[in-house]
Structure formats: structure tokens, C-alpha cells
Amino acid sequence: MESALVKDNPLLFPLNKQKTLYDGFITVLDRDFRLRVLLPPDGQLKGARLHCCWELRRVLQGYEHIVKQRLQQSADLVTFILELKTVLEVGLKSRPECRSIPPPRYYSQLISEMETLGWGRLLFIDTEFRTLRLKAEDSSGRQHVLTVKLKSRSTLDQLHSQFLLVLESLTEFWDVLDEIDSKTWILEPEKPSRSDTMRRIAIGTNVSIKVELDPRHPKMLPECCLLGAEHAVTPLRKQLNANMHLWNPDSGVLLNLRDVLEIEFPSPATHEKSSFSVECGICYSYRLEAAIPDQVCNDPRCGQPFHQACLYEWLRALPSSRQSFNVVFGECPYCSKPITVKMSAQQS
Ligand code: ZN
Ligand code: ZN
């Protein structure tokens, strides 16, 4: 028995002549677990006591009853250790997070890295010491959060510097958007985040322009789409097409848009937002999930906006309406002038 035990577990030794006390490590899936076994004077396994290191206890969580049972039933220590290792292997495989508990130097390294970086930058760390959230500020003073999942070999300081470089490359993009956000009324997105590249800017009641910026070239002519009643949008569309060549990447996007469209954007300083956020004439709300009422009656005296989904359902329910492919032709619920609506992508 002795030789088999040593052969299978070269790191587990008897500490006394009576061989009632064993201490050392057992190895499972390339990991060593500290273990101490105390046998009663008669050497019977039934009365044995196990002392496990915290890692071992952690992996064996939920398997304690099996370990106890094996201890009662195994013929000798060799058999028991073999059984214990099988249970451990199962435990490790079912809990991948246990498999990779890092050595103590991982934590001391992390702490010294945090000292280099500055503790003030740490916003959050999880109980596994694996996921960190770090504060980062770009040169315009905007606050950002870097989430780090520690797997790579880079130090925190390196990661943080890399993140700052990425932030710097996006500074111009955010400068452009911050200017738009502060000087115009944004209809969409409702609460823009730093990753949103689109803005729908109010031009007038029921007229807006949707711009999609390229974060790498934020000052270039963005993708533009004019939205609203035909009578208001058509002249603007003509302006845009005629003046596009005047776009000057050296000046701001907002200034360029103003020059190209030959308009002044209503701003928070000059207008109330309520003058642009007119409710849908069918459901009487402004937001329907994320959608805003962007279908507008083309009759200049009416100009009532509707949600696409509301208008589509409304027209489809009326016997006087007619459908051709995905377009429904009917009458405006307000002024009875002809109105059409396309089936939106979600409804088709
Ligand atoms: Zn509606
Ligand atoms: Zn109408």
C-alpha cells in the first residue's frame, strides 16, 4: 500500500513512524492541492480526519457527502485518495472558474500594478479579482470606464495607457457630437451614449435630419437623411444635393450642415423641445418603444405626424385603403387627404 501511495502521490508523505499522519499535496489536472490526513491509532480509515486547504474545500463544495461516504467505504488510504482525486476532477471540470485560481503572486502583482496606476482609478473589482473597472479621462475631460477582464499578460498600467490612446483617437468624434448635442435638439437617440454614431437633429416641426458619423473621420460629410413631410423635406434635399461640394472638413459638422442646408438649427437656447416632439395623431404618445412619430401628413395645412406602426395599422383596418406590395394608400385620419405608409421592416 505504501509504495502505491507514494507512486500515485509523490507529494504526500507520512509525517510519523506510525504512519497515522500524512501531509502534502495531491495533484489533479496539473494543480496541486494541500491535504492533511489524520488516521486514528488503529490506522482505520473510517475514523480518519481530513484537513483540506481552502482551494480544495472550494472545489469540493457540494461534494462533501460523497467524500465522507468514500472515506467510510474505501478499503485503504490509496483507494480513498484515488476516489478523492476522481471527485476533484469532476468538481474542477464542472467549475471552470475553480480550475484557474491564480497563485498568490497574481494578487501581489495586481496590487503593485494598482499602486503604479493609482488606486483612485479603480472603480470596481469583483470578488474573483478578475474583472476590474478603471476610470479614464480623455484630454477634453470626459470620463470613461475601462472594463478589464484579466487574462492577458499586459499590466494594468499598459492596458490603461492603451485605452487612453483609443480614447484620444475618438476625441474629435466626441467633440463633434458634443457640439451637436449641446447646440441642437436631438430627437434620437433618446439618451445618446458615447458609442452612438447617429443623431437625429430637429430642423423644424416635423422636419429633421438624421446624420451618421464615421468615428474615424468625424468631420467628413456624414451620411444624411432628411425626414418629414414632403413639402418641407424636398427643398432641403435639393439644397443638400446642390451644396454638398461646399462641405469643408476643417470646420465643424454643425457649421457645415448649416451652410449646406442654408438653415439655422433650432437650439435649446431658442426653442422649447416640445415644439418638435409632437405626439402621434393616433396613439397620442411621442415614443412608441424606440420609435418617434416620423410619418407626416404631406398636406401643408395638416402636417400631423404619426408613428409608422400606428398609421400602418390604422390604414390597413379601413376598407377605403388599398395595399400595393408593402405600401398602404389611404386617407389621413385628420384631414382626409391622401397619405401612404410603408410597412416597416419588423412588420414584413
Ligand atoms: Zn402612435
Ligand atoms: Zn393630414
Side-chain angles (χ1 to χ4, degrees):
M1 168 191 142
E2 205 52 57
S3 61
L5 188 68
V6 175
K7 200 169 127 266
D8 290 349
N9 309 284
L11 299 174
L12 189 66
F13 310 103
L15 293 190
N16 58 358
K17 262 208 182 113
Q18 299 79 17
K19 306 221 167 115
T20 54
L21 177 59
Y22 285 82
D23 200 335
F25 296 87
I26 53 171
T27 310
V28 179
L29 295 175
D30 287 333
R31 281 186 55 198
D32 297 332
F33 295 93
R34 179 84 186 261
L35 180 71
R36 178 179 270 240
V37 187
L38 259 160
L39 293 166
D42 61 5
Q44 286 297 303
L45 202 58
K46 279 188 178 63
R49 290 168 60 87
L50 280 187
H51 295 275
C52 306
C53 66
W54 69 271
E55 281 187 279
L56 192 55
R57 254 180 295 161
R58 193 159 174 270
V59 183
L60 289 176
Q61 240 168 44
Y63 299 94
E64 292 93 344
H65 62 289
I66 302 179
V67 175
K68 267 192 196 133
Q69 192 195 50
R70 296 288 190 274
L71 201 59
Q72 296 301 311
Q73 294 172 356
S74 298
D76 51 45
L77 192 58
V78 189
T79 323
F80 170 70
I81 297 288
L82 200 67
E83 296 270 12
L84 181 66
K85 282 160 89 172
T86 312
V87 176
L88 258 178
E89 202 174 316
V90 172
L92 280 172
K93 281 182 176 159
S94 71
R95 284 183 214 155
E97 75 279 4
C98 288
R99 211 181 310 168
S100 54
I101 295 170
R105 68 173 175 282
Y106 169 86
Y107 301 99
S108 49
Q109 168 84 10
L110 189 63
I111 286 167
S112 82
E113 283 179 17
M114 271 317 304
E115 267 156 16
T116 313
L117 187 67
W119 286 100
R121 292 215 166 96
L122 183 68
L123 292 171
F124 166 84
I125 189 158
D126 69 345
T127 50
E128 307 277 318
F129 288 77
R130 285 287 182 190
T131 307
L132 288 86
R133 277 201 274 282
L134 302 173
K135 230 189 313 195
E137 192 177 293
D138 66 24
S139 53
S140 303
R142 279 178 288 250
Q143 299 287 331
H144 304 271
V145 177
L146 164 67
T147 302
V148 184
K149 294 217 187 294
L150 283 175
K151 276 186 196 136
S152 65
R153 280 156 192 260
S154 313
T155 64
L156 287 181
D157 199 32
Q158 284 166 345
L159 284 172
H160 193 262
S161 315
Q162 283 164 12
F163 185 59
L164 284 182
L165 279 178
V166 175
L167 289 183
E168 279 322 296
S169 72
L170 291 168
T171 296
E172 196 174 49
F173 167 65
W174 288 320
D175 284 345
V176 166
L177 285 178
D178 281 352
E179 193 196 9
I180 295 178
D181 290 349
S182 65
K183 293 188 180 165
T184 69
W185 278 120
I186 301 298
L187 303 180
E188 281 180 286
E190 193 174 3
K191 290 188 186 90
S193 75
R194 289 273 167 229
S195 59
D196 282 315
T197 55
M198 184 278 277
R199 290 295 187 278
R200 181 163 171 172
I201 311 167
I203 294 178
T205 314
N206 303 332
V207 197
S208 58
I209 186 165
K210 202 165 158 177
V211 294
E212 181 78 51
L213 296 170
D214 178 351
R216 283 157 306 164
H217 309 288
K219 290 194 162 184
M220 302 301 279
L221 175 68
E223 245 181 80
C224 295
C225 177
L226 284 152
L227 301 155
E230 273 316 307
H231 66 91
V233 165
T234 308
L236 287 170
R237 204 170 279 147
K238 279 186 187 149
Q239 290 284 4
L240 182 66
N241 289 332
N243 293 339
M244 234 175 223
H245 66 279
L246 296 175
W247 192 274
N248 176 8
D250 292 331
S251 54
V253 169
L254 198 57
L255 198 69
N256 270 310
L257 282 173
R258 238 172 358 212
D259 290 350
V260 169
L261 293 168
E262 297 181 13
I263 53 155
E264 282 298 328
F265 285 97
S267 77
T270 59
H271 290 72
E272 290 287 328
K273 192 174 188 179
S274 56
S275 45
F276 315 110
S277 49
V278 181
E279 311 83 49
C280 165
I282 293 167
C283 72
Y284 299 115
S285 60
Y286 182 62
R287 295 217 179 253
L288 181 69
E289 282 156 26
I292 64 173
D294 57 3
Q295 306 292 304
V296 179
C297 174
N298 280 328
D299 189 284
R301 282 160 302 173
C302 173
Q304 177 63 47
F306 306 98
H307 293 118
Q308 187 177 25
C310 292
L311 188 59
Y312 181 77
E313 289 306 322
W314 175 280
L315 292 182
R316 254 187 9 154
L318 289 178
S320 57
S321 303
R322 129 191 111 73
Q323 182 158 3
S324 168
F325 297 102
N326 59 344
V327 183
V328 184
F329 301 82
E331 289 172 357
C332 169
Y334 275 67
C335 68
S336 303
K337 292 273 157 44
I339 195 167
T340 59
V341 64
K342 255 190 190 174
M343 188 164 35
S344 72
Q346 297 101 299
Q347 289 164 328
S348 51

